[in-house]
Amino acid sequence: YYLSATLDATKDLLFEGTVRYEDYSDFGNKAVWKVSSRYKFLDDKITLRGSVSTGFRAPTLHQIYTQKVQSSFAAGGIQLEGIINNVSSAARLRGVPKLKAESSTNYTVGAGIKPSAVTILIRKNKPTYKHSPMLMCRTKINTKAISLTYPF
């Protein structure tokens, strides 16, 4: 389910809001939302933007069930090495927890400058992840983006 609303408060001030409901049979359900605003001034030559949102992502089947094990002879027996899947008893014996759905909170602030020939957009994103299927790889991510857009 998805609901979106936009309000042009004035010619220069815009508010937007969205809500989405996601339901996974194996990872539960979650309502995620986004609130954003934009303000234009100096005859639309400068724009300020901002948003706050939440996110939800369940682990993929690949992340849960991938298994690559190689057998070799060592010390008079067979030794198994490799990647074990997340639902195996071997993962539990080694203390690896079951994967959880990933949730995030995202903040975006930006400014746009529009001289007559070039549009410049500068944006800062800061998502923060609470639970991550990648365990140690995506606990917190900060992203800075600067893009130049030429009108066509």
Side-chain angles (χ1 to χ4, degrees), residues 11-136:
K11 178 178 86 98
D12 297 323
L13 183 60
L14 173 77
F15 294 103
E16 292 181 305
T18 59
V19 176
R20 184 177 68 230
Y21 178 78
E22 300 184 46
D23 187 10
Y24 291 88
S25 60
D26 48 357
F27 284 98
N29 52 52
K30 180 99 171 172
V32 295
W33 52 268
K34 179 178 181 178
V35 178
S36 61
S37 183
R38 180 202 69 214
Y39 183 70
K40 302 184 291 185
F41 54 98
L42 295 177
D43 295 325
D44 295 345
K45 291 190 191 289
I46 298 177
T47 304
L48 300 177
R49 305 172 177 270
S51 69
V52 177
S53 63
T54 59
F56 175 81
R57 185 173 93 49
T60 64
L61 293 174
H62 179 75
Q63 290 170 317
I64 297 169
Y65 295 108
T66 294
Q67 181 160 310
K68 296 178 182 177
V69 178
Q70 182 176 353
S71 303
S72 61
F73 292 102
I78 297 175
Q79 181 177 346
L80 302 175
E81 294 179 0
I83 299 171
I84 55 176
N85 70 48
N86 189 254
V87 294
S88 69
S89 58
R92 296 296 91 68
L93 286 171
R94 287 167 178 78
V96 176
K98 286 190 175 183
L99 293 176
K100 296 180 181 179
E102 175 182 345
S103 60
S104 63
T105 303
N106 310 290
Y107 305 92
T108 303
V109 177
I113 302 168
K114 187 177 178 182
S116 27
V118 175
T119 299
I120 300 170
L121 175 65
I122 300 171
R123 182 177 62 199
K124 172 147 176 62
N125 296 331
K126 185 179 180 187
T128 304
Y129 297 96
K130 292 181 184 171
H131 299 290
S132 176
M134 300 305 286
L135 295 180
M136 298 185 327

